[in-house]
Amino acid sequence: MDRDVGATWRSGQPGAASNEARHQGGSGMAAGVFTVLRNRNARVYLAGVIISGFGDSAMLLASAVWVKELTGSNSLAALVTFCAWAPALAGPFIGTLADRMRRRTLLVATSLALAVVMTAPVAVRSPEDVWLLFTVLTLVGTGTVLMDAAETALIASAVPSELRGDFNGLARTAIESTSLLGPLIGAGLFTVLGGPTVALLNALSFLLGAAAFSLIRAREPAPAARSRQSWTAASADGIRYLWRHPTLRPLVVAGGCAMTASSLSSTATFALLDIGLGQAAAFAGVLSSIQGLGSVVGGLVAGALLRRIPARALSAIGLVVFAVGVLARISGSVPVVSVGSLLIGLGLPWPLISALTTVQKETPDELLGRVAATANTLVFAPTGLALLAGTAMVATLDHRVQLLAAGVLGLAAAVLLATAGRAPRGTEPAEEPGAAHRPHEADAVDT
């Protein structure tokens, strides 16, 4: 998939993208980042991700506070996060739609539909109305799964393959930034203006996101005709392709292990502060900010690292850095724990970016929506179960046991990823008819 066949990037001349990418290999992180940002598609897409991601993260926290104020129930407030997370379990099934429509059209249509959906919470006034919030958040979660699959596939048509590592790193940095700022601003807006206003602002963010996505210029191939194949069979094709692929499966599983370990670690935070460090709960904000800084740096350097080392090596290194950071939290020392938080933020994006970039590189276009959705399910769906397990562990065990388990899981995943042998010749997954003849458009045409 990663072929040099005259992609056009900034100069409008054949081969410009690949030539500039080779130059970046020697000039480092900054050149790769700036080259990506010179591209109109990249700027427009990142603007859409930041706007819609900011609205989503603000609304999620505001919804939990809203439900808590209306009902006084901690369990119902926690159900808010579950509603937004649960659709990820159906990722392979939902993502099939991204292979049956043009991805840009699907992104715009889904964003517009979610903008309409987000006007419904304006009617929430009493505890009897909270079901409406749960319904809306479930629909938004479903739309998010669909948009993630469509975005992953669209980027393969809009961005040359040799620059996708830098691009995915920038996108991860943007997501981390909105995750840090969105909840704080959402809680503040809820306190000052109320829940309906936050919902309307989130609806506006979807409208602006739709406008941004509509400006992306990409020559997408026509969706493959699958009139004789059932939806379930088509979804199974995506699962089968990923699981049989000797490169994709270990990278995606490693990403899932990283997110599972992260959830185990994060649920021990308040016990760590109270028992381990003797700090107030508010100090969690300091550690979160330090981890966020590490995530921003990790996302920015990922592309440069992927030009120098294989995705499998970067993923393993990221897991080791992450695990060292988690184990540092056992120390009981505020400076060491702070450095550990920085390392957690630095290392965690690398397995995720490695898996995503490789999915885009190794998957035929006609399967990319389903395979991307399946990968997202395997990476992110376990986090909900890990949060439940972590909550139970912190209530019954010393928090250091939980941190040790998270660190060991990260190290074990790194070792398995680093030592897993390459598949012998002849075991590569079988391509669908015509797959080998349908390259990603960004690799072959002027976008």
Side-chain angles (χ1 to χ4, degrees):
M1 291 290 177
D2 191 4
R3 55 178 67 85
D4 179 12
V5 287
T8 298
W9 186 242
R10 179 173 57 90
S11 68
Q13 299 299 321
S18 55
N19 290 338
E20 195 159 346
R22 292 189 195 101
H23 176 68
Q24 290 166 17
S27 60
M29 175 193 73
V33 170
F34 286 123
T35 300
V36 171
L37 290 178
R38 290 189 192 108
N39 181 263
R40 180 181 179 278
N41 279 344
R43 294 195 304 271
V44 169
Y45 173 82
L46 289 172
V49 167
I50 291 172
I51 293 168
S52 59
F54 178 82
D56 287 349
S57 58
M59 184 61 193
L60 188 61
L61 180 61
S63 296
V65 177
W66 199 352
V67 170
K68 171 65 175 177
E69 286 198 356
L70 286 174
T71 67
S73 170
N74 291 325
S75 59
L76 287 178
L79 187 59
V80 164
T81 302
F82 177 81
C83 288
W85 164 81
L89 296 173
F93 188 79
I94 297 170
T96 298
L97 183 58
D99 289 330
R100 297 197 172 193
M101 292 181 61
R102 292 191 183 273
R103 281 77 181 243
R104 179 173 54 183
T105 302
L106 183 59
L107 279 175
V108 174
T110 304
S111 296
L112 292 175
L114 292 180
V116 174
V117 168
M118 281 308 306
T119 63
V122 173
V124 175
R125 292 287 185 270
S126 67
E128 289 72 25
D129 298 328
V130 296
W131 67 269
L132 187 57
L133 270 178
F134 295 141
T135 301
V136 166
L137 291 170
T138 302
L139 290 174
V140 171
T142 302
T144 300
V145 171
L146 179 58
M147 290 176 68
D148 285 345
E151 288 170 4
T152 299
L154 180 61
I155 290 308
S157 297
V159 177
S161 59
E162 58 268 19
L163 293 174
R164 288 180 202 142
D166 292 287
F167 182 88
N168 290 329
L170 277 174
R172 174 55 50 183
T173 298
I175 292 170
E176 293 294 337
S177 299
T178 60
S179 298
L180 285 172
L181 298 176
L184 296 175
I185 296 177
L189 290 174
F190 177 85
T191 301
V192 176
L193 302 175
T197 301
V198 179
L200 291 177
L201 289 174
N202 194 20
L204 177 61
S205 76
F206 280 121
L207 288 175
L208 294 175
F213 294 138
S214 70
L215 296 175
I216 294 176
R217 296 172 181 169
R219 296 180 183 176
E220 296 184 70
R226 298 184 182 280
S227 57
R228 296 183 179 180
Q229 190 175 35
S230 70
W231 199 280
T232 302
S235 302
D237 281 347
I239 299 172
R240 190 179 303 112
Y241 182 89
L242 188 151
W243 199 249
R244 291 179 177 177
H245 200 291
T247 301
L248 294 183
R249 181 174 64 187
L251 283 171
V252 170
V253 170
C257 289
M259 291 305 299
T260 299
S262 176
S263 296
L264 291 176
S265 173
S266 64
T267 50
T269 296
F270 290 105
L272 164 68
L273 294 175
D274 183 29
I275 302 171
L277 299 179
Q279 295 287 330
F283 193 70
V286 176
L287 296 181
S288 178
S289 297
I290 294 173
Q291 182 173 329
L293 175 62
S295 295
V296 169
V297 174
L300 290 175
V301 303
L305 292 173
L306 281 173
R307 289 194 296 274
R308 290 167 170 79
I309 60 177
R312 185 188 294 248
L314 179 61
S315 181
I317 293 170
L319 284 163
V320 171
V321 172
F322 164 81
V324 171
V326 170
L327 295 175
R329 304 182 93 188
I330 300 175
S331 67
S333 164
V334 170
V336 175
V337 169
S338 298
V339 172
S341 295
L342 184 68
L343 293 177
I344 289 172
L346 180 66
L348 186 58
W350 292 346
L352 309 182
I353 295 169
S354 297
L356 173 60
T357 304
T358 307
V359 165
Q360 291 170 325
K361 174 184 174 183
E362 296 290 338
T363 307
D365 183 84
E366 57 265 43
L367 284 170
L368 189 49
R370 284 163 284 173
V371 174
T374 301
N376 285 335
T377 294
L378 291 175
V379 171
F380 295 108
T383 60
L385 301 177
L387 287 171
L388 293 176
T391 301
M393 290 176 69
V394 79
T396 57
L397 301 172
D398 189 303
H399 70 280
R400 291 170 294 186
V401 174
Q402 189 167 337
L403 292 172
L404 180 62
V408 169
L409 176 58
L411 289 174
V415 170
L416 291 175
L417 187 61
T419 58
R422 293 183 178 273
R425 187 178 300 274
T427 62
E428 288 80 1
E431 292 183 328
E432 293 195 347
H437 305 289
R438 298 187 62 190
H440 300 309
E441 291 294 306
D443 294 338
V445 301
D446 180 359
T447 59

